[in-house]
Amino acid sequence: MATLRQQALGMVQARPRVTVTPPSPKISEYFGTNVFGNGRMKEALAPSVFKKVMEAIDKGTKIDPSTAEEVATAVKTWALSKGVTHFTHWFQPLTGSTAEKHDSFFDMYAGIEKFKASALVQQEPDASSFPNGGIRSTFEARGYTAWDPSSPIFIFEKTLCIPTIFVSYTGEALDYKTPLLKSMEAINDAAVEVCQLFDRNVRKVSPSLGIEQEYFVVDKALFAARPDLVMAGRSVFGHSPARGQQLEDHYFGSIPTRVKDFMVDFEIEAHKLGIPLSTRHNEVAPGQFEVAPIYEEINKAVDHNQLLMDLMDKVAEKHSLKVLFHEKPFAGVNGSGKHNNWSLITDTGVNLFQPSNSARENLQFLTFLVATVKAVYDHSDLLRASIASASNDFRLGANEAPPAIMSVFLGGTLSDVLDELEKNGNIKIEKGDNMYMKLGISKIPEIILDNTDRNRTSPFAFTGNKFEFRAVGSSANCGLPMTTLNVIVAEVLKGMIKDIEKEMNAGKEKKIAIVNVLRKYIKDSKKVRFEGDGYSAEWAKEAEKRGLSNLKSTPEALDIYEKKATKELYERHNVLNHIEVHARHEIMLEDYIKKVQIESRVMGDLALNHIIPTAILYQNKLIENANGLKGLSLDNSAAVETIKEVSKHLESLKSNVTAMVETRKKLNKEDDIVKRAKAYQKEVKEAYFDKIRYAVDKLELLVDDESWPLVKYRELLFIR
Ligand code: ADP
Ligand code: MG
């Protein structure tokens, strides 16, 4: 009988092409058709009601019940007209995916379709099965979801989806969205205050985000024949193919037809959902691709990214493909990240990270730039923790991904500007002087955007008019890193205002006061700036000398959440209270342990039930062969050598798997979750994963190809 692998390979060859045609040649004609956006709302609601909703969105205030009733009715009418029968609150629990619980509009007793304001505004999903880090004991399963009117309602899979926050009955956040929304207020508060030093007209500052999403695509049948991909999202075994990414031809090559059909399909659906996808291309590794939207206000960008991942999963099904969002699905080829392009934009239309021709605006630009650099320096460990996960650990610090060291890349031009500003610290500025000229900041070329050196090795890079946080993992919910970034920058901006005021109280003119503070901050945060090759071994050494952290594993990186200063920081900005911070720490540790456990089990199962039996059968064949040759008095040394090698790896495989299982049993008795996570990292993952993999990958090279049970890398990566 053919192995699962052989059957799967057969299926791949027989795949028919699946093409789709967009509803119209122009995207503008179907963009947002599945969204109850502002335009649609304006048409459907009375002007006074619409105004109230807009105000509530703008100010983040509550929508009163009668307004909610009107919105509910309008939404229902629209949804029914589109053939929708169910609605759901759509939220982002700390599991990392999105959650839904569908209810029907149909009211049997009334015999009609109903949708009340109460159902729009609030729901009580059975929250007991979502992680809560001990906030609620499981028997008290009450949590509720509450409508977030700032993110538009949409139709997905014939269901009306209402974006909501998810909180416990006692009010603690159980999701990613709640703190993100609060962090937007925190940074708005701080940034508006700083902007007012330059321009009294600024009333609001909002963070913008554009997320570049990397992913791998494999055939569905091949995926299904790899239990490790199914269970862990990652291949735990697999020898590198003869041809990896060393030819670097994939990046520039044309997109394979099957994948292109898939892209076109999910882009159409994304556009209908108002997700502004704009670019698609191959990535560095074979089988790896990227999609990116045009940036949006941060909360919407995060929602859209979560929705996009769901959507891609669903659409891939139609093309008999499987999308891998795991950070490192294949050893030896590039991993996947999610570059978070972040900036701050005022209600007067100014991007605060956009250098300009006007000297005054440039001082403002530098103020925000320096504040961000200082934030990364002061809180690098928090930023590191925000992207920590079992899956991202395989990517961070691996040779082709940003290292676990947080550093900032600014590019030559800006580095010079900051250096000069720092150096000119002692220049005396007299009344009537052109301060900007004297300090060398009168002109920062506007063309920086095209000028920024493309340093791809930095985890946090300035790219012309925005910062790009690249260390975020491809499977992550960006809510957490973006909440963190907003909070730490808000923190520095708040401190900055105080420092500037101090200078002014000491009699300094405002501009001078600002410059003095900037100089100090530039000096203080200098160590975090790095322009060289972030992937090099020298940088790790240099970073250590500079005293920068290099927290390579998740459990270690998460320790920062137990620090008093962390809890106070989040509390001070009204983003998370200390219970919520503690709960998140627990949830992330729990998640880490589970992931390592699953991988460890998958490794054990595959080794014991697939690899070892296959290798033994092959070994028997060899023994038969060796004996046969001997009987004929012929040289059997080749067979004997191979038998020895197979035996050696079998031996090592068996003993390491047994020892790993024993270790797991022992560790599961450890009650302290921090200790358990750290032990799983050291005593399970670090102690056994590589050894076990080494033995299996060697056996893959020895055992005859026909009987090898696992789909090989060359098949996963190159067949489509
Ligand atoms: P790359 O990094 O590949 O050169 P782009 O410059 O095209 O990419 O931008 C990547 C992402 O950054 C896109 O999603 C884009 O919309 C987004 N982006 C561009 N300008 C800003 C900005 N001011 N704020 C936030 N994101 C932005
Ligand atoms: Mg980029």
Side-chain angles (χ1 to χ4, degrees), residues 264 267 338 344 352 388 407 486 500 514 517 543 557 587 620-621:
V264 169
E267 281 169 11
K338 185 131 71 179
L344 294 171
L352 294 168
S407 66
N486 288 340
I500 292 170
I514 295 171
V517 172
I587 290 167
N620 285 342
K621 267 196 204 167

Side-chain angles (χ1 to χ4, degrees), residues 212 290 339 341 454 456 463 466 468 470:
E212 300 165 58
E290 183 188 292
H339 297 180
N341 294 270
R454 285 291 170 171
R456 297 248 157 227
T463 48
K466 62 195 190 278
E468 187 167 332
R470 301 193 181 120

Side-chain angles (χ1 to χ4, degrees), residues 153-315:
I153 295 171
F154 58 91
I155 295 170
F156 185 51
E157 303 248 293
K158 292 272 173 213
T159 300
L160 184 76
C161 298
I162 300 145
T164 59
I165 58 165
F166 179 40
V167 293
S168 77
Y169 206 69
T170 39
E172 282 92 10
L174 297 172
D175 67 346
Y176 289 106
K177 189 193 264 282
T178 308
L180 179 65
L181 290 171
K182 289 181 172 176
S183 77
M184 289 168 70
E185 280 174 41
I187 193 142
N188 174 52
D189 269 3
V192 166
E193 224 179 310
V194 172
C195 282
Q196 295 249 333
L197 294 170
F198 302 91
D199 179 359
R200 292 248 154 239
N201 295 319
V202 174
R203 292 272 174 277
K204 190 172 174 182
V205 173
S206 353
S208 285
L209 176 64
I211 302 170
E212 300 165 58
Q213 175 74 56
E214 292 176 331
Y215 59 97
F216 280 84
V217 168
V218 295
D219 185 273
K220 190 178 139 192
L222 301 182
F223 172 86
R226 288 281 316 214
D228 47 356
L229 286 182
V230 176
M231 305 295 292
R234 179 177 90 88
S235 58
V236 296
F237 304 137
H239 200 277
S240 309
R243 183 181 131 200
Q245 62 192 51
Q246 60 279 62
L247 296 177
E248 296 192 339
D249 53 351
H250 180 67
Y251 192 82
F252 299 103
S254 63
I255 300 171
T257 310
R258 238 183 111 189
V259 179
K260 173 86 179 300
D261 289 341
F262 162 60
M263 287 174 168
V264 169
D265 201 354
F266 80 68
E267 281 169 11
I268 293 169
E269 295 308 315
H271 287 148
K272 288 186 198 160
L273 284 164
I275 305 173
L277 295 187
S278 62
T279 64
R280 58 166 100 114
H281 60 79
N282 288 346
E283 260 306 320
V284 179
Q288 191 187 27
F289 308 90
E290 183 188 292
V291 55
I294 293 165
Y295 67 94
E296 299 178 275
E297 183 260 334
I298 200 163
N299 176 41
K300 273 185 218 147
V302 173
D303 280 4
H304 276 163
N305 177 254
Q306 288 298 120
L307 182 56
L308 176 66
M309 290 199 287
D310 269 1
L311 177 68
M312 286 168 71
D313 250 357
K314 298 253 154 71
V315 175

Side-chain angles (χ1 to χ4, degrees), residues 214 216 245 283-286 288 326-336 395 399-401 535:
E214 292 176 331
F216 280 84
Q245 62 192 51
E283 260 306 320
V284 179
Q288 191 187 27
H326 193 287
E327 282 75 2
K328 193 78 181 176
F330 306 104
V333 295
N334 266 19
S336 301
R395 166 176 169 262
N399 54 4
E400 68 300 285
Y535 299 174

Side-chain angles (χ1 to χ4, degrees), residues 38 82 285 484:
N38 290 352
K82 308 233 355 149
T484 309

